[in-house]
Amino acid sequence: MARFNAYSLVLLLFCYVSSGAAEAAYNVAGFGAKPGGRTDSSGAFASAWSAACRSQEPATVYVPNGHFLLSRAAFTGPCSSRVTLQVDGTLVAPSGYTSRGGGGDDDGWIVFDHVDGLTVSGGTVDGRGEALWACKAAGHGGCPSGATSLKVLNSRNVVISGLTSVDSELYHVVIDGCKGLTVQDVQIVAPGSSPNTDGIHVQASSQVTVTRTSIQTGDDCVSVGPGTTNLRVEHVSCGPGHGISIGSLGKQSEESGVENVTVTGAAFVGTENGLRIKTWARAKVEGAYVRGVVFEHALMHDVRNPIIIDQTYCPNHGGGAGCPHQSSAVKISDVRYTDIQGTSASKVAVKFDCSASNPCSGIGLKDIKLTLDSGKPAEATCQHADGRASGEVEPPSCL
């Protein structure tokens, strides 16, 4: 009798542990999603998400192999438990650009909002942005701004892993209003000529990590917007593209600052910029600043502006606002560059063009080794910047 009780206890414990480890699974095909890329499966995806979001135990929305057409997908929380979107197939946007998106110019194509404990794993998202790029290239006007392929809004404890994003109309990934988010082992691909197709854009978010990611695009590989704190970007390869940029900042009359950003182990090949900070040339901006930035262990190959701070940024002259004649109100301080090596495609490899009314302060250069492709020394220029250089600095320091 004693042995029976012990055996029963072990069996009960095994069943309890097994039950606790199980996750509810919701295959979108079971909700009517059709592979083949011709039938809009947005409704089926919404139903599968709704069921997973209501689950009292951790749940997975599973997308099998195949191409699934989505006109738009909005996955909203809060959910009852942790949810994973596991994608083995490809999510495809509609052809053309008039039938996607929500109520605004960029409400996003695939959107997660107010979800705590989200994992997006694997798969491909194809934004099919070619039609919109062609419209913009034609220069006739009347083109919408486009849709971001993947947005994560107002969410916490999020992991995006193993995803491939191709040919987004606008940004590939936007992280806005989030805390505790990791992007890892992601690949982003778009032609160098595709306009405004930033790889990963982060704003109004904290404790974000981007790691082991390859980005080929037509704009910034990683862009950092107002209100970003405690961001770490590591082991990112960039090219083609416009580099890794903090900013642009100061476009609005009131903005939050950017603080505690580390970019380490990045590689740039043939990009417009390498490590950039850019602010609009506007004299009246409240609350905007950049401080506590570390750029380290970066490799440049044929990069036009390997290291640049540009506080006169004002594309198209600010729509007639006259901002090229103003001094930026955004204060930049405590920015350190360490172990930046490689080749510059332009004569000036280091350029600090800071604000006359708010000079850059606490700029540090250490072990900077940048030359022209020919092997000849590059140059460095400074405007309104204060700091110091140490270790081996090539080109000559302008601080």
Side-chain angles (χ1 to χ4, degrees):
M1 186 68 177
R3 278 187 294 177
F4 174 79
N5 288 340
Y7 174 80
S8 300
L9 179 61
V10 170
L11 182 61
L12 286 172
L13 287 173
F14 175 79
C15 293
Y16 175 80
V17 171
S18 298
S19 175
E23 290 195 6
Y26 301 89
N27 190 322
V28 295
F31 290 83
K34 304 293 184 183
R38 295 184 178 182
T39 302
D40 186 3
S41 295
S42 298
F45 273 66
S47 296
W49 173 266
S50 180
C53 193
R54 292 194 307 266
S55 174
Q56 297 301 309
E57 58 186 356
T60 296
V61 176
Y62 176 64
V63 181
N65 284 318
H67 287 68
F68 294 88
L69 176 65
L70 299 177
S71 56
R72 187 170 187 263
F75 304 116
T76 59
C79 295
S80 300
S81 189
R82 187 167 46 83
V83 180
T84 296
L85 175 64
Q86 173 66 50
V87 183
D88 286 350
T90 298
L91 311 184
V92 183
S95 60
Y97 51 84
T98 58
S99 59
R100 74 181 74 174
D105 276 344
D106 182 24
D107 288 335
W109 170 40
I110 300 170
V111 181
F112 296 90
D113 193 1
H114 285 95
V115 184
D116 188 355
L118 167 70
T119 298
V120 180
S121 181
T124 298
V125 294
D126 184 353
R128 300 175 75 176
E130 299 92 337
L132 181 60
W133 307 338
C135 178
K136 292 180 177 180
H140 301 314
C143 310
S145 61
T148 291
S149 282
L150 177 66
K151 279 190 171 184
V152 185
L153 309 175
N154 311 307
S155 298
R156 300 167 63 92
N157 306 314
V158 176
V159 176
I160 302 172
S161 180
L163 177 75
T164 298
S165 176
V166 299
D167 294 344
S168 178
E169 281 193 337
L170 201 63
Y171 302 107
H172 285 259
V173 178
V174 165
I175 299 161
D176 187 359
C178 295
K179 182 177 181 180
L181 188 147
T182 298
V183 179
Q184 62 188 23
D185 302 311
V186 165
Q187 185 174 11
I188 292 172
V189 181
S193 59
S194 58
N196 305 119
T197 53
D198 294 51
I200 298 171
H201 177 74
V202 183
Q203 67 179 35
S205 297
S206 64
Q207 299 176 25
V208 175
T209 298
V210 179
T211 183
R212 302 189 305 273
T213 293
S214 171
I215 303 174
Q216 306 169 48
T217 189
D219 210 291
D220 294 333
C221 291
V222 178
S223 55
V224 182
T228 300
T229 62
N230 300 316
L231 168 66
R232 185 174 181 86
V233 179
E234 58 184 22
H235 307 304
V236 168
S237 64
C238 175
H242 293 179
I244 294 177
S245 294
I246 295 177
S248 58
L249 303 175
K251 184 177 182 179
Q252 308 301 323
S253 60
E254 185 174 345
E255 286 185 355
S256 299
V258 173
E259 190 168 8
N260 295 338
V261 175
T262 296
V263 178
T264 183
F268 303 85
V269 178
T271 53
E272 180 70 19
N273 305 289
L275 304 166
R276 175 168 64 161
I277 301 174
K278 57 178 177 176
T279 73
W280 282 72
R282 296 191 188 280
K284 295 182 179 180
V285 181
E286 294 185 9
Y289 60 83
V290 179
R291 63 188 179 215
V293 178
V294 174
F295 295 120
E296 62 182 10
H297 312 311
L299 182 63
M300 310 279 176
H301 178 71
D302 197 30
V303 174
R304 182 167 296 278
N305 300 295
I307 295 175
I308 180 171
I309 294 178
D310 178 10
Q311 293 207 261
T312 61
Y313 181 77
C314 190
N316 303 318
H317 300 288
C323 59
H325 305 293
Q326 299 179 7
S327 178
S328 175
V330 180
K331 174 64 177 179
I332 297 174
S333 62
D334 187 20
V335 182
R336 293 186 286 118
Y337 303 85
T338 303
D339 184 27
I340 315 298
Q341 304 186 33
T343 59
S344 173
S346 63
K347 191 174 181 180
V348 177
V350 176
K351 181 179 181 180
F352 296 135
D353 191 359
C354 296
S355 170
S357 59
N358 290 282
C360 299
S361 61
I363 306 298
L365 296 172
K366 182 179 180 181
D367 295 332
I368 310 300
K369 304 172 187 176
L370 295 167
T371 64
L372 302 178
D373 286 338
S374 63
K376 294 181 179 180
E379 296 180 1
T381 64
C382 289
Q383 296 268 1
H384 314 297
D386 176 67
R388 66 172 189 165
S390 62
E392 184 176 350
V393 179
E394 183 184 334
S397 171
C398 57
L399 297 177

